[in-house]
Amino acid sequence: FHPDSDYATFVGAYKPTTESVQRYDITNKPIIRNGVPVMEQIITYNFVEQAFLQAYIEAWKDREKPEFLVIEEINRGNCAQIFGDLFQLLDRGDEGFSEYPIRADSDMKKQLKKEFVGLEIKNKESINDLFKGKDIVAQVLEGEVLLLPNNLYIWATMNTSDQSLFPIDSAFKRRWDWYYVPISNAEKNW
């Protein structure tokens, strides 16, 4: 993270992209020159997944392998702004799934639904049982809700001696397991 990081750069957002399209004349007939259709570049906007959403999708697609999202220097950005409503997903139950799923916005819902087409989740009944029999897996696959799966690990680092960084509030801190790792000088001979 860095001071300019935000939700869109962490999760995803619509971004301009270019694509080639057929040109038409004023009577709506395709323009052809030398037997080749005349194309032009236009700007369109597509939803582009960023680090969080990429890891989230991969974790659901391959539930057999762990998926790691590593955030370097988490305290260099405004965590509340960057995580937004995903903050709620960090509360995990004993089985490793988010305790409190959140509703996906319409843009993310469209993207997730497209990514999860045809995906079958093994043991979906046991996941649904964690949520009192609600068909939470179907809601995840439809992109309606976000729920961190138990094979998605979010690891973050921070240098606690850095000055002038964004403070991390206690509500955010309590959702993480903290481990102090001292500077190792044994191998460097410092």
Side-chain angles (χ1 to χ4, degrees):
F1 288 172
H2 54 82
D4 291 336
S5 297
D6 61 10
Y7 186 84
T9 59
F10 181 55
V11 179
Y14 276 94
K15 292 188 176 187
T17 57
T18 59
E19 69 179 60
S20 263
V21 295
Q22 168 78 51
R23 287 198 58 197
Y24 294 86
D25 65 18
I26 59 171
T27 63
N28 208 25
K29 291 183 183 171
I31 300 173
I32 309 283
R33 280 198 196 123
N34 301 327
V36 178
V38 175
M39 306 298 280
E40 71 177 314
Q41 296 290 318
I42 64 167
I43 295 175
T44 60
Y45 290 84
N46 294 310
F47 191 88
V48 178
E49 302 154 359
Q50 297 299 323
F52 172 80
L53 213 51
Q54 290 167 5
Y56 177 82
I57 290 167
E58 284 305 309
W60 276 109
K61 283 185 174 180
D62 188 353
R63 303 258 313 111
E64 300 299 317
K65 93 176 168 71
E67 184 71 29
F68 295 91
L69 174 60
V70 179
I71 302 167
E72 179 70 7
E73 300 284 354
I74 194 168
N75 58 325
R76 288 199 171 271
N78 182 342
C79 293
Q81 174 189 355
I82 296 167
F83 273 82
D85 56 352
L86 301 179
F87 175 84
Q88 185 172 314
L89 297 176
L90 298 176
D91 281 321
R92 305 255 191 139
D94 294 338
E95 300 294 324
F97 291 90
S98 298
E99 288 186 317
Y100 309 107
I102 60 171
R103 293 248 167 246
D105 66 34
S106 60
D107 298 328
M108 194 181 305
K109 179 180 177 177
K110 240 188 323 189
Q111 186 68 18
L112 291 172
K113 189 173 183 175
K114 182 172 74 174
E115 288 289 337
F116 293 149
V117 166
L119 182 62
E120 289 293 324
I121 302 295
K122 294 178 185 174
N123 303 329
K124 67 181 181 181
E125 293 80 17
S126 62
I127 298 170
N128 288 334
D129 288 345
L130 296 172
F131 295 89
K132 299 181 178 34
K134 292 181 188 171
D135 197 355
I136 195 79
V137 173
Q139 293 177 49
V140 166
L141 297 179
E142 285 294 313
E144 292 173 13
V145 299
L146 292 167
L147 170 75
L148 296 185
N150 61 356
N151 64 322
L152 176 58
Y153 299 89
I154 303 173
W155 290 1
T157 68
M158 67 186 296
N159 182 347
T160 56
S161 63
D162 279 344
Q163 301 292 320
S164 303
L165 299 176
F166 288 93
I168 298 177
D169 66 42
S170 59
F172 192 79
K173 283 181 181 178
R174 75 176 173 80
R175 288 168 165 83
W176 299 82
D177 292 328
W178 289 73
Y179 300 96
Y180 175 74
V181 180
I183 295 174
S184 173
N185 59 10
E187 295 175 20
K188 308 251 189 263
N189 246 354
W190 292 348

